[in-house]
Amino acid sequence: MIRFICAKDYDEMSRKAANVISAQMVMKPESVLGLATGSTPIGTYACLVERYKQGDLDFSGITSVNLDEYKGLPHENDQSYYYFMNDNLFSKVNIDLNNTYVPDGTIEDAAEACEKYEEIIAATGGVDLQLLGLGHNGHIGFNEPAEVFPKETHCVTLAQSTIEANARFFASKEEVPTQAYTMGIQTIMNAKKILLVVSGADKADIVYKAFFGDVTPLVPASVLQLHQDVTVVGDEAAFAKIAELI
Ligand code: GLP
């Protein structure tokens, strides 16, 4: 089942997404949160930090597992997703860093890196709430459009469009890593609840395809139509093509 929450703009989307995460944390202080990177959730993390500072949220019992990481980037690289998480959330709240997990991009052997990450996720007892962004081509995590849904954590070669979209964060396109480790579709679907955040007119087409089109690995996010508990928080611009349908 998919619940749509429409916000007027990015800031309201961020607050409403933070409401969902806050509710999860209050109801279960030992939650395992699946976390995401990309530009969309930055405002959501800022709201969570704000609420922590106000004394309304406690991260001490929280465990986190991130969706993905560029292959080859060490933690100290400011474009690594580990660095992003530390910068936007971990260093600003009282989460125990020993309970935060991001795939290790420095492990050369992909099979070893992916197997290790699946073991880590299993050891947490499973994800209670998985936060997701949405790529322009429908990717979630770094699960790119494909012939089949990849199941578990795996190594992907990034689509050219993803490299171009992410080049804005790097000095040049050539510096964007070409591969990444990402949770698979099955890994993501195993989460008890899913929260997807989406903002901006440039995502309106893919929002329509993902949630009202066919369920197909060519649009990886469409698989979420088969999950029992999905909340999509988007702004009016991103919901422009589904406004009449929700
Ligand atoms: C990146 C990330 C995804 C993210 C997506 C959208 O490539 N791997 O996890 O959801 O692209 O990013 P943005 O929110 O910046 O549009």
Side-chain angles (χ1 to χ4, degrees):
M1 193 208 106
I2 304 184
R3 184 183 306 112
F4 293 93
I5 299 179
C6 186
K8 68 175 188 310
D9 55 20
Y10 179 80
D11 287 346
E12 191 179 304
M13 178 210 74
S14 301
R15 292 199 305 277
K16 289 188 168 178
N19 286 347
V20 176
I21 299 172
S22 303
Q24 173 68 40
M25 290 175 61
V26 170
M27 298 306 283
K28 187 176 176 190
E30 285 79 37
S31 287
V32 178
L33 299 180
L35 298 178
T37 55
S39 53
T40 315
I42 290 177
T44 306
Y45 292 138
C47 285
L48 293 176
V49 170
E50 198 54 37
R51 290 174 195 185
Y52 162 72
K53 285 186 178 154
Q54 286 163 348
D56 291 334
L57 275 185
D58 177 11
F59 286 78
S60 63
I62 297 294
T63 297
S64 73
V65 284
N66 260 78
L67 278 171
D68 48 11
E69 178 62 285
Y70 288 114
K71 185 171 181 218
L73 295 194
H75 287 175
E76 318 75 72
N77 185 303
D78 64 4
Q79 291 309 324
S80 76
Y81 285 166
Y82 180 89
Y83 190 99
F84 174 104
M85 288 312 304
N86 211 33
D87 202 33
N88 286 288
L89 186 68
F90 300 158
S91 66
K92 297 178 172 161
V93 297
N94 66 334
I95 197 163
D96 181 346
L97 282 181
N98 294 317
N99 297 333
T100 64
Y101 301 97
V102 179
D104 186 346
T106 64
I107 302 179
E108 245 317 296
D109 182 333
E112 180 195 335
C114 297
E115 201 176 309
K116 195 172 158 203
Y117 204 58
E118 283 292 330
E119 282 168 14
I120 287 171
I121 298 168
T124 66
V127 174
D128 291 297
L129 176 66
Q130 175 68 55
L131 176 63
L132 296 175
L134 180 64
H136 288 102
N137 59 5
H139 74 234
I140 47 177
F142 266 134
N143 290 279
E144 300 282 20
E147 294 296 309
V148 293
F149 288 115
K151 291 183 190 142
E152 301 189 319
T153 302
H154 59 290
C155 181
V156 278
T157 297
L158 302 179
Q160 199 52 37
S161 61
T162 301
I163 292 178
E164 276 157 25
N166 290 351
R168 66 190 194 277
F169 301 115
F170 291 81
S172 70
K173 198 168 93 181
E174 288 63 45
E175 284 184 33
V176 185
T178 54
Q179 290 190 309
Y181 295 139
T182 181
M183 284 186 191
I185 293 293
Q186 180 72 65
T187 327
I188 293 170
M189 291 289 280
N190 281 344
K192 294 188 187 81
K193 295 188 175 102
I194 290 179
L195 168 64
L196 184 141
V197 286
V198 62
S199 166
D202 53 319
K203 298 273 175 82
D205 281 330
I206 196 63
V207 164
Y208 177 80
K209 273 194 202 151
F211 301 114
F212 291 90
D214 292 340
V215 174
T216 164
L218 297 172
V219 182
S222 66
V223 77
L224 300 176
Q225 295 179 44
L226 306 180
H227 194 280
Q228 57 173 5
D229 191 341
V230 178
T231 302
V232 178
V233 184
D235 58 19
E236 282 173 8
F239 279 3
K241 302 233 158 99
I242 62 165
E244 319 273 85
L245 305 166
I246 58 177

